[in-house]
Amino acid sequence: MPFLNMNSSKLNLLLNTVNTYLRLNSDVKQTILKKYFKENFTLFWNTTSSNTRYFHSSLKAAQVQKDGVTVLPSPQEVTTILRKNEFNKEFTTGSIKCYDSNQLASNDPIEDTRCEAQCRMTSGLIMGVFDGHGGPACAQVISKRLVDYIAAALLPIETLHKYIQQDPREALVDTFNNRVEILQELKILYERSFRQYLAELANLPHEGYNVPTALEQAIIKIDQDLSKEAVEPYKLNQVINPQTLSVALSGAVACVTHVDGPNLHIANVGDCNAVLGILTEDKEWIAKKITKEHNSENFDELKRIWNEHPDNERKTVIRRDRLLGELAPLRSLGDYRYKWPIEILMKVAVPLIGPKAIPANYHTPPYLTAKPDLYYHRLSTRDKFLILASDGLWDMMTPLQAVKLVGEHMKGKVFFNPLKLPRKNIQLGDINELLLHRKESLKSKPKDRNAATHLIRHAIGGTEYGVDHSRLAHLLSLSPDVSRMFRDDITVTVMYFDSEFLRQCPA
């Protein structure tokens, strides 16, 4: 068996991993077996693999040794870890009342990013979740730049021409919770690419305000720009910039939504997902999974890839449920190791990262596309919220479980607010009944005000009987090499819709 050839450190790591694995409930065990042991067996048996998406570990160990005994973080310390990156934003107009977001790292540094922005020259909110692999570079750059590309593509032609002539140009979007900062030299390069994109938009035929077209154009164009910015110096006989090359060679999947009044548009590339929480007339929660993953479990996606390559590559283009035996998502931005011609890879990528830059059986590129699937949903009063999340969440719970958790959170979080009497001159007996009802209802008050944190807490520590602190503390305190075997980075955004606003929208 393969583990008999391990050295002692690897064997100890495996034993520690198995010991932690045995603590988990059956549902989580099945998820780990399916996704991490099946797909990532090379973590132990092929440590030279070129695919780093699932092999890059992260979270700093929180457990400490005291008198030779391992001490796990306390409930307060666990909560501090979980709430470190949470964010909330409220709105006074439009169909979105507010949103909650949070992230929990497993990789170090975290490879997930997210973006939220309000369009300034058109109406609508743009929100996205980006799951990086092979490092955080691609996901970070996309999260900073994509909102501007989308906002520009949404501009009416007259407004676009005026905007191009501005000097300096005003911002197209107001961003929230913007924590990623790009280096100055890259800002100059990205600004030049964006100006070229604006010029191209001005020469394209415009059919008016078309959100699906804008989303697709922006995603495809920014992916093309990542390639151009990395390869252009080579074509001009200049020194290749290792920063732009690292962005192009790493990758990211993306789930981006644009909400304008009752109109919800979603563009999806890869295996992040958007799930709608719907409340029926019978007060039952329904989870409507809007997106569909681009991975080996999507047979239509497998057929698409097989049809794009010769029949003699059928056994090599998808191996071990991965593209060319390496990449789990079958669509992504960046990842130009699977898109460039072999001559470009030889001249640009191999000098930097060696022969492994060219995947095995690389005969008829491109093998990968950034073209998104597009979805539309008209919001109704029954639509209460939308969950955008990276696959780190969906690996740990089903869409229905997530929707029910957010639905329960909606009901319970009202108790974070002080009690307000429903009317003046209320009788003491009525106040007593109100207080008794509130006391009983306080049992459902969630531990976290932020719904994204609430989901992450239950994803990591949830059991059939609620959250198990010892499990939660243990999984949050695993050493970096072990942590990644149990979960991915998790990024969650929960958008709440204004039912009264949607009720007043014309049919």
Side-chain angles (χ1 to χ4, degrees), residues 208-278:
Y209 185 70
N210 191 319
V211 178
T213 300
L215 290 171
E216 182 170 334
Q217 283 180 346
I219 290 173
I220 291 175
K221 180 58 181 174
I222 199 169
D223 184 62
Q224 293 172 346
D225 282 352
L226 299 182
S227 172
K228 180 190 68 176
E229 290 154 3
V231 172
E232 199 169 46
Y234 159 73
K235 293 182 177 179
L236 297 175
N237 293 318
Q238 297 173 351
V239 177
I240 295 173
N241 186 334
Q243 294 169 331
T244 57
L245 186 57
S246 69
V247 173
L249 294 180
S250 59
V253 298
C255 187
V256 183
T257 180
H258 180 274
V259 185
D260 184 7
N263 301 306
L264 170 65
H265 290 89
I266 295 175
N268 191 54
V269 182
D271 52 11
C272 295
N273 276 308
V275 174
L276 198 63
I278 302 172

Side-chain angles (χ1 to χ4, degrees), residues 422-441:
R423 61 185 183 276
K424 294 181 180 179
N425 302 322
I426 186 171
Q427 299 294 316
L428 287 176
D430 294 333
I431 294 177
N432 183 56
E433 288 186 14
L434 188 63
L435 291 173
L436 289 174
H437 175 73
R438 184 177 176 87
K439 180 180 179 181
E440 182 64 26
S441 299

Side-chain angles (χ1 to χ4, degrees), residues 55 123 178 189 225 261 288 369 371 404 422 444 471 500:
F55 311 152
S123 56
N178 195 344
L189 175 62
D225 282 352
K288 180 177 181 179
T369 180
K371 184 178 180 181
K404 286 184 175 180
S444 65
R471 175 179 299 160
E500 189 58 34

